[in-house]
Amino acid sequence: MKEFNNYMEQVKYSVAQMVAFNNYPNVSENYYENDLQAGTLQSLEDGNVYQWYAVEIIGNEDEETERLGIFWDEDLEIYIMPVTHFGT
């Protein structure tokens, strides 16, 4: 597993393009049914998702995309990255 110095370095390694999509929970009401990691699901249930992004990943899904919480939305046919931390 690759080590990163910070979150942005990890995002740049895994994501080719990203667009803010903060209206995602209103557009895709069934997002809980997607294949979510346990940590991402817990953050969603606790209301700890601060931003949503529609992303294009580099390569295939792997450990790095899983660590970012990136998942495939079947209905919209796009990858979604929830940001579950708030930083400055």
Side-chain angles (χ1 to χ4, degrees):
M1 185 179 325
K2 184 166 174 54
E3 295 295 321
F4 300 97
N5 293 322
N6 56 50
Y7 183 79
M8 184 53 79
E9 186 178 297
Q10 185 175 357
V11 170
K12 287 181 179 180
Y13 180 82
S14 300
V15 175
Q17 297 180 43
M18 58 194 293
V19 175
F21 190 15
N22 289 324
N23 201 30
Y24 173 70
N26 299 325
V27 173
S28 183
E29 296 175 2
N30 300 324
Y31 61 88
Y32 282 104
E33 296 174 9
N34 290 304
D35 187 23
L36 303 174
Q37 276 187 284
T40 302
L41 183 57
Q42 185 65 46
S43 293
L44 292 172
E45 290 172 351
D46 293 344
N48 293 331
V49 175
Y50 299 99
Q51 293 177 311
W52 296 90
Y53 289 92
V55 299
E56 179 183 337
I57 61 173
I58 297 171
N60 298 318
E61 294 179 63
D62 55 19
E63 286 183 31
E64 280 73 26
T65 58
E66 280 187 29
R67 284 195 290 179
L68 290 170
I70 296 172
F71 62 92
W72 178 255
D73 184 293
E74 291 288 334
D75 296 333
L76 299 177
E77 296 183 352
I78 57 174
Y79 284 101
I80 299 293
M81 182 177 74
V83 176
T84 58
H85 69 279
F86 187 77
T88 57

